[in-house]
């Protein structure tokens, strides 16, 4: 296996599992895991696995590393993935393909809508395709925020600017839904981002390509060159499953297999996969969602959901409030795409370990370090808060420099 690929995979493992910097020797990463990561980063194979297979390999490797560290040095430490050591995270997103349709279009699809929504559309009172405020109302009621991705040429961005700016002031995100031809063209993507910036008054941090168009050799590089913080395109369109075998954020490799700055948030579920491609009824679609949510929670991953904003008054799409309720009851960490990406990068600040101490120069507030040891150790903390449980100890960072020293109990 190429040295650059192995080095990338070792860094990928450290970042994903929250290990101390330099603790994962490239030669010790299992060949199967290296091959799986390298294959995924090239977009092959096109996986429809019902479980995130690479996440399970990472978890198995984590158990091995933990056992070896406890035996060799008496303790094992790692950064939890999510603030407060949440069991998993959720990222709610909405592609905005349309906000208006001609009445003739609505009447041809009258069976999709309730009698009330159809009547209001006929009277010209409300478009069933314009649901930004409705979605925000539902999410706000559960203390959630989400990301909206806007096409730059499909509708009047100026008319949308007032409500979008108000949503942004209240914590929602306005990103770019890449037009056809942006996924492999810096010029086209840059022009689309500029149109969004001009209309809404701020540069979009996040991106999802229209129809999930993606070129593994180009799109990440194009997006990074255009200044995007993250992408969340990579997922399945016509089937369920985990496109890359992953459901946690990662920094993809460049052509030389060095980690890029941009963060990928893998897409786990798109609403139109359920209703458009698989022809599920609402009960079956809800079960599919819950099955995927369980798979993500089992590996401490990120449940990235794409629910088109124009679908929430239609059959199928109208179960979105139930989707929100399931996520709220799980008590996971929830944030916009930008919030998730910024957390992941902040969490990636180096964790240094040496002797009986570990430290971070810039630990984000809410970051949790988890400790496992062969014997309970006395722990002193600067810049955080210690919590001891029966089998483990955790330290929660206050934000800023963090140092933890361990001695005999």
């Amino acid at each position: 296996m190429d040295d650059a690929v192995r080095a990338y995979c070792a860094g990928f493992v450290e970042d994903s599992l929250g290990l101390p910097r330099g603790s994962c020797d490239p030669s010790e990463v299992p060949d199967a895991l290296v091959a799986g990561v390298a294959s995924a980063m090239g977009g092959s194979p096109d996986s429809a696995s019902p479980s995130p297979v690479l996440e399970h390999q990472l978890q198995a490797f984590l158990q091995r590393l933990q056992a070896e560290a406890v035996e060799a040095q008496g303790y094992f430490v790692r950064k939890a993935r999510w603030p407060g050591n949440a069991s998993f995270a959720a990222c709610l997103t909405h592609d905005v393909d349309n906000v208006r349709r001609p009445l003739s279009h609505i009447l041809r699809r009258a069976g999709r809508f309730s009698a009330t929504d159809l009547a209001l559309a006929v009277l010209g009172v409300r478009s069933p395709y314009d649901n930004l405020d409705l979605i925000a109302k539902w999410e706000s009621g559960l203390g959630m925020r989400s990301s909206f991705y806007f096409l730059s040429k499909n509708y009047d961005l100026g008319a949308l600017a007032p409500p979008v700016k108000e949503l942004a002031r209240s914590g929602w995100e306005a990103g770019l839904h890449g037009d056809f031809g942006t996924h492999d063209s810096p010029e086209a993507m840059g022009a689309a981002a500029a149109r969004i910036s001009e209309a809404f008054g701020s540069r979009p941090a996040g991106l999802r390509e229209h129809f999930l168009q993606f070129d593994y050799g180009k799109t990440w590089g194009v997006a990074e060159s255009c200044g995007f913080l993250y992408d969340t395109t990579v997922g399945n369109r016509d089937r369920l499953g985990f496109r890359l075998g992953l459901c946690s954020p990662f920094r993809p490799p460049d052509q030389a297999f060095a980690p890029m700055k941009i963060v990928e948030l893998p897409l786990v579920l798109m609403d139109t996969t359920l209703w458009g491609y698989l022809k599920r009824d609402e009960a079956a679609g809800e079960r599919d969602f819950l099955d995927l949510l369980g798979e993500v929670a089992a590996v401490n991953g990120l449940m990235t959901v794409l629910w088109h904003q124009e679908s929430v008054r239609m059959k199928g799409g109208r179960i979105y409030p139930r989707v929100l309720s399931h996520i709220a009851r799980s008590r996971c960490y929830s944030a916009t795409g930008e919030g998730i990406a910024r957390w992941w990068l902040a969490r990636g600040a180096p964790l240094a370990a040496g002797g009986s101490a570990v430290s971070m120069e810039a630990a984000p507030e809410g970051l949790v370090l988890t400790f496992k040891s062969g014997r309970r150790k006395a722990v002193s903390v600067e810049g955080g808060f210690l919590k001891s449980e029966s089998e483990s100890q955790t330290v929660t960072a206050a934000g800023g420099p963090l140092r933890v020293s361990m001695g005999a109990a």
Side-chain angles (χ1 to χ4, degrees), residues 354-375:
S356 60
V358 297
S359 62
M360 292 182 70
E361 292 302 316
E365 183 179 0
L367 176 77
V368 174
L369 300 184
T370 66
F371 294 85
K372 299 284 186 180
S373 58
R375 297 187 345 176

Side-chain angles (χ1 to χ4, degrees), residues 236-256:
N236 289 320
R237 186 170 66 233
D238 59 352
R239 68 197 73 179
L240 298 174
F242 295 82
R243 176 67 183 80
L244 301 182
L246 292 167
C247 59
S248 54
F250 63 89
R251 292 167 58 201
D254 62 17
Q255 295 299 310

Side-chain angles (χ1 to χ4, degrees), residues 302-322:
L302 172 66
M303 183 69 184
T304 303
V305 176
L306 160 52
W307 214 267
H308 286 78
Q309 76 84 31
E310 58 266 37
S311 78
V312 301
R313 294 187 190 274
M314 299 180 189
K315 286 183 178 179
R318 65 190 177 188
I319 74 165
Y320 185 61
R322 299 210 295 272

Side-chain angles (χ1 to χ4, degrees), residues 93-224:
T93 71
H94 312 282
D95 291 355
V96 184
D97 292 347
N98 296 283
V99 291
R100 291 283 188 277
R101 287 288 198 178
L103 182 58
S104 59
H105 175 96
I106 295 171
L107 292 175
R108 286 196 302 272
R109 293 158 176 81
R112 294 180 176 181
F113 305 104
S114 71
T116 299
D117 286 331
L118 188 60
L120 291 173
V122 170
L123 293 171
V125 174
R126 183 177 68 204
S127 168
Y129 288 85
D130 184 358
N131 301 304
L132 300 178
D133 290 342
L134 178 62
I135 289 171
K137 177 183 176 181
W138 288 337
E139 292 172 347
S140 179
L142 294 170
M144 296 178 179
R145 297 294 185 268
S146 65
S147 301
F148 293 93
Y149 304 109
F150 295 88
L151 290 166
S152 73
K153 296 189 293 186
N154 228 39
Y155 33 75
D156 184 356
L157 292 176
L160 283 177
V164 170
K165 289 179 179 179
E166 180 58 35
L167 286 172
R169 282 191 289 269
S170 300
W172 280 265
E173 178 189 2
L176 173 67
H177 194 28
D179 307 281
F180 286 119
T182 60
H183 74 290
D184 58 0
S185 168
E187 295 76 19
M189 186 180 288
R195 287 190 288 271
I196 295 293
S197 301
E198 182 178 357
F200 299 153
S202 60
R203 185 81 176 175
L207 164 74
R208 177 178 289 124
E209 288 291 341
H210 200 28
F211 277 78
L212 306 187
Q213 299 175 100
F214 203 83
D215 183 323
Y216 289 85
K218 294 181 179 179
T219 305
W220 281 317
V222 169
E224 182 169 281

Side-chain angles (χ1 to χ4, degrees), residues 378-401:
V379 176
S380 63
V381 179
E382 299 174 35
F385 311 96
L386 175 68
K387 181 179 180 180
S388 294
E389 298 178 346
S390 58
E391 297 182 358
S392 65
Q393 293 170 297
T394 62
V395 170
T396 301

Side-chain angles (χ1 to χ4, degrees), residues 13-82:
V13 168
E14 289 181 358
D15 198 39
S16 188
L17 298 180
L19 305 179
R21 182 65 56 87
S23 64
C24 184
D25 190 308
S27 66
E28 295 180 355
V29 182
D31 290 345
L33 181 54
V34 174
V37 171
S39 178
M41 296 305 133
S44 176
D46 184 359
S47 173
S49 170
S51 65
V53 292
L54 284 179
E55 300 285 357
H56 286 290
Q57 290 183 46
L58 282 164
Q59 292 296 317
F61 189 40
L62 172 62
Q63 296 305 310
R64 177 185 134 187
L65 292 172
Q66 177 176 294
E68 291 174 351
V70 169
E71 182 177 352
Q73 61 193 33
Y75 73 93
F76 176 76
V77 61
R78 62 185 289 253
K79 295 176 280 188
R81 274 188 169 170
W82 307 114

